[in-house]
Amino acid sequence: MIKTPDLISSLAKDLPPVRRLRPPLVRASCWLALAAAVLTLLAIAQGLRPDLAQRLGDPAFAVGLFGALLTGIFAAIAAFLVSLPDRSRLWLLLPLPALGIWLSNIGYQCLSQWISIGPDGIALGEAARCLATLVLTSLPLSLMMLVMLRRAAPLRPRMVTVMGSLSVAAITATALSLFHSMDATVMILMWNFGTAIVLVALGSVFARKMFRWVAPRTLAALD
């Protein structure tokens, strides 16, 4: 009968070395750098909204933009941290203060600017451009987040996906505020708040299926 040390040695013989994951903060920084690159490319292609300087002088707009951006940054960091089993789940609380600022600002603008869309209503052309910005921002960032987390995230798929989806939603809302002037009431709910709800909900419901698609061997081993 083979001894345990000999069995372990035979099983481990000629196995390729395991490639260690980079530290979570390094991977989060890489993803955030990609997000910055996407926003830069969109700024080059579309240009910033013409009234951006004026709007940044409005405290409500500036605080909302700052809150959305911080939510995206902190949620991304939280996603990469909680994807590792040795990290505390308390990191999930990291984006909550910024999220509170972002959402409270949306509520404030909805109350104070309820009829500020204008007599002509919502322009279809601008709405289409808003939708294009939403897709061009959220799609590559979501795919890259999924790929970068495919090895570790299956250990906590739902929590990681919720944080990742929240980060993508917040970065997307930041892009919409920078490039489009549709930040009054209904459009805030439709694009900013609505986008966050949809992405976070989809991430929560389909978390395990998404990671099964990108990392089937990892999930099969866990099952």
Side-chain angles (χ1 to χ4, degrees), residues 17-136:
V18 176
R19 182 179 176 181
R20 293 177 60 90
L21 290 173
R22 293 182 179 180
L25 291 180
V26 172
R27 290 184 290 134
S29 298
C30 291
W31 186 86
L32 290 171
L34 173 66
V38 170
L39 294 183
T40 301
L41 291 175
L42 286 174
I44 294 173
Q46 299 185 8
L48 297 174
R49 54 187 294 177
D51 63 341
L52 181 59
Q54 178 183 355
R55 296 294 288 136
L56 287 175
D58 179 5
F61 177 84
V63 169
L65 180 65
F66 186 67
L69 182 60
L70 282 184
T71 299
I73 294 173
F74 290 152
I77 294 174
F80 283 95
L81 284 171
V82 299
S83 68
L84 302 178
D86 61 335
R87 302 304 171 101
S88 172
R89 298 185 183 188
L90 292 177
W91 284 110
L92 294 170
L93 302 177
L94 180 63
L96 291 188
L99 178 62
I101 294 174
W102 177 30
L103 297 185
S104 62
N105 180 264
I106 291 176
Y108 168 77
Q109 293 194 53
C110 286
L111 291 175
S112 63
Q113 301 178 10
W114 184 251
I115 58 174
S116 61
I117 291 178
D120 297 329
I122 300 172
L124 181 59
E126 182 64 16
R129 287 189 291 272
C130 249
L131 179 60
T133 300
L134 188 152
V135 174
L136 291 174

